[in-house]
Amino acid sequence: MTFAVHGLPVARGIAIGRAVLVVSSRIDVAHYFIKPPEIESEIERVRTARNAVSEELTKLQASVALMGPNDAPHELVALLEVHQMLLQDEALTSGVKHWITERLYNAEWALTTQLEVIARQFDEMEDEYLRERKADLEQVVERMLHRMKGTAAVLAPTPPRRKRPAEAEDDDLTVNDTIDVPLVLIAHDLSPADMLQFKKSVFAGFVTDVGGRTSHTAIVARSMDIPAVVGARTASQLVRQDDWVIIDGDAGVVIVDPSPIILAEYGFKQRQGDLERGRLARLRHKPAVTLDGQRVDLLANIEMPEDTANAVKAGAVGVGLFRSEFLFMGRESQRQTRLPDEEEQYQAYKRAVEGMQGMPVTIRTIDIGADKPLDSKASKQEHLNPALGLRAIRWSLADPAMFLTQLRAILRAASHGEIHLLIPMLAHATEIRQTLSLIDFARAELDNKGMVYGKVKLGAMIEIPAAALTLKLFLKHFDFLSIGTNDLIQYTLAIDRADEAVAHLYDPAHPAVLKLVADTIAECRRQGKGVSVCGEMAGDVTFTRLLLGLGLRSFSMHPSQILAVKQEVLRADAGKLEAWAQGVLEADDPATALTLKP
Ligand code: PEP
Ligand code: MG
């Protein structure tokens, strides 16, 4: 039966594929694809874990048998028997084998996937006693997952082959075929670190129950340039493994089990989208200059040094935001040291500089906290209000040794090319002073060690209203400013950017937000300082003309958005947009004013 689930559009386009449900388990489970020759050893890992748990349960049963009836209640004996039974259950064993063999999931992923499949069957049972056995099955699987810890051979996701989207009428695919049909990822929640794992993977689209449009999970999804919907609330409960799913990333709709007519319609839309991309690709080598001759820098936002390849391919003239925190995230599940050391960071920044082939690279110092925990399982509940807590520069200043390590690595990489050093989340004069003196200290440390380093331009992010209201202080100390509209909107409107429940109030066109953006651009221009926007607003074509009219000449965005923004730039007359942009700022309803012609 066809049905639709509505969420928030995150990344454009249409994806059609089989659902891969990533189930959250209480244990941190890695999700990656194995290679076909590894199938047997992966199945063996499950078998070994199952035997070990079985032995564990047998021992427990034996020790219970030695106890008297007062110490070992009858229920405990029965429970252990049930656990043994569930452990040996054919549905579990054969299901896990199926996901490993046919989908090339790693053992843990296969196990949690099959757990979800069986758990849903339990949920549908009428008998209450049987329904409650779901909790027992979860316990058994968790025992197995514990046993499997540390036994994985491969930790990096290795994508299997990927084919173009399947034909719409091909609904009777055998499971063996499914490895070659597009897969779409459905999850309740994914941390930015999880997303990064999937970035190297094969998914044609993705959906999460939670999240806002500018949550970091959504940002990484956007950087993957695949259709995505977040905030789809119950999607992960309604969609089953292997269901056919259409993701409409433009409308924020997920269509499950579509009829042939709907499939055909979306197949058509998908092809139209491909054609449009083809047309835009012709602009790649065209300089971004307005009709009245104003040059506009279109820069790339990246998460990893390897992303520079896409940035160059898209025609970026530099990196406007390297979110360096992604080098620090998700390392525990990769069995790496908790934080990357100076050498590892230096190599990463150097790779980014080299990847940009002489163009400037803006490296933002670590912005951990809020919806970007270091590890995917690091609880958001650890702090009452993480977005207002120890995040970004506050985190760095609270751990000067860690911060100095990063600063030294960045300064050293600057000897290989043009680096701009960008500091996130500054609000206080004391933070500015401490940051600048730590940068000086890092230079002095490198001098003492006789190490080579380069000059950097210093920039601050304007993403807290307090910063936007004290620009003179910032401009006294920094060479350039970069407006982080994602956070500026969040903190101006008091709307959690990652919370789908208030996503309708997260409004980039709110007059207060536009005023702060406009004032920042104007003040920088007055003082002859560089200014750019690196939040999602910069890549949203709805705002291109407005930002140009406000005087912005530097936009930083996901590489996938550069060509569409360039098209807007090429069609714009920046001079004529000035008066119109002032009108938008003064309008009662700027969102509507934005849609009116200048
Ligand atoms: C922003 O806040 O706009 C920004 C670019 O930084 P991030 O999205 O990483 O918080
Ligand atoms: Mg930010």
Side-chain angles (χ1 to χ4, degrees), residues 58-375:
T58 309
K59 275 189 196 150
L60 270 173
Q61 282 172 309
S63 60
V64 166
L66 291 176
M67 294 178 191
N70 290 341
D71 298 326
H74 173 69
E75 288 82 358
L76 183 58
V77 178
L79 192 74
L80 289 172
E81 266 167 30
V82 168
H83 280 204
Q84 274 289 17
M85 226 170 61
L86 290 168
L87 185 67
Q88 308 300 339
D89 186 42
E90 176 57 20
L92 183 65
T93 322
S94 61
V96 171
K97 218 165 151 181
H98 161 89
W99 298 116
I100 295 176
T101 321
E102 309 299 342
R103 281 294 181 78
L104 301 180
Y105 291 179
N106 64 307
E108 290 86 346
W109 187 2
L111 195 53
T112 48
T113 300
Q114 190 56 19
L115 166 66
E116 178 68 10
V117 170
I118 304 175
R120 285 191 190 202
Q121 291 164 4
F122 276 122
D123 282 341
E124 283 164 16
M125 284 175 183
E126 301 227 328
D127 186 306
E128 194 184 333
Y129 171 80
L130 289 177
R131 253 197 334 264
E132 283 169 3
R133 298 292 61 80
K134 181 175 125 177
D136 295 312
L137 180 68
E138 283 168 351
Q139 284 174 24
V140 167
V141 167
E142 278 183 15
R143 275 182 190 270
M144 287 178 71
L145 289 170
H146 271 302
R147 285 285 171 172
M148 279 186 209
K149 270 196 165 176
T151 64
V154 192
L155 282 159
T158 11
R161 287 168 295 144
R162 176 177 178 180
K163 268 195 188 168
R164 294 299 305 151
E167 293 307 318
E169 67 274 16
D170 197 4
D171 201 19
D172 288 329
L173 290 162
T174 65
V175 188
N176 262 325
D177 292 324
T178 59
I179 197 71
D180 279 338
V181 306
L183 303 175
V184 297
L185 186 68
I186 316 277
H188 173 68
D189 191 11
L190 289 170
S191 71
D194 287 337
M195 270 320 285
L196 207 59
Q197 283 272 98
F198 289 121
K199 196 167 166 168
K200 300 169 204 152
S201 200
V202 288
F203 295 104
F206 100 99
V207 178
T208 59
D209 294 347
V210 300
R213 251 178 250 231
T214 64
S215 62
H216 283 92
T217 301
I219 284 174
V220 183
R222 210 168 282 131
S223 77
M224 291 160 75
D225 196 19
I226 56 171
V229 171
V230 299
R233 290 161 193 257
T234 48
S236 75
Q237 289 162 40
L238 298 174
V239 180
R240 290 163 311 176
Q241 289 286 351
D242 254 9
D243 273 348
W244 274 103
V245 169
I246 296 174
I247 300 174
D248 182 342
D250 297 300
V253 177
V254 184
I255 301 167
V256 187
D257 202 5
S259 66
I261 293 179
I262 295 176
L263 268 174
E265 185 188 327
Y266 276 91
F268 177 72
K269 275 195 190 179
Q270 202 176 34
R271 285 189 291 278
Q272 294 289 100
D274 288 346
L275 284 177
E276 175 60 16
R277 276 166 198 256
R279 267 195 296 275
L280 280 177
R282 294 188 204 138
L283 302 179
R284 239 178 66 196
H285 301 293
K286 227 175 154 51
V289 179
T290 60
L291 292 172
D292 53 339
Q294 298 278 322
R295 206 194 98 175
V296 178
D297 287 340
L298 300 182
L299 304 147
N301 289 356
I302 64 168
E303 281 92 36
M304 283 293 182
E306 293 66 37
D307 295 339
T308 50
N310 274 341
V312 172
K313 217 160 89 190
V317 296
V319 167
L321 175 66
F322 177 176
R323 289 183 162 97
S324 70
E325 57 275 11
F326 282 88
L327 296 174
F328 292 68
M329 281 158 38
R331 296 172 63 85
E332 258 166 33
S333 58
Q334 300 276 317
R335 285 204 243 134
Q336 289 166 307
T337 53
R338 189 164 175 268
L339 298 177
D341 63 16
E342 181 180 324
E343 188 59 25
E344 186 181 338
Q345 287 188 59
Y346 160 67
Q347 292 296 343
Y349 304 140
K350 181 168 165 255
R351 277 204 307 283
V353 168
E354 289 170 350
M356 287 314 288
Q357 306 166 6
M359 294 181 274
V361 176
T362 308
I363 301 177
R364 177 177 72 184
T365 58
I366 187 167
D367 180 3
I368 281 295
D371 68 333
K372 276 184 290 195
L374 267 186
D375 279 292

Side-chain angles (χ1 to χ4, degrees), residues 216 364 367 372 391 425 461 463 484 486-487 497:
H216 283 92
R364 177 177 72 184
D367 180 3
K372 276 184 290 195
R391 189 195 153 179
M425 286 273 294
M461 287 196 69
E463 46 189 352
N486 305 337
D487 278 315
R497 61 193 265 193

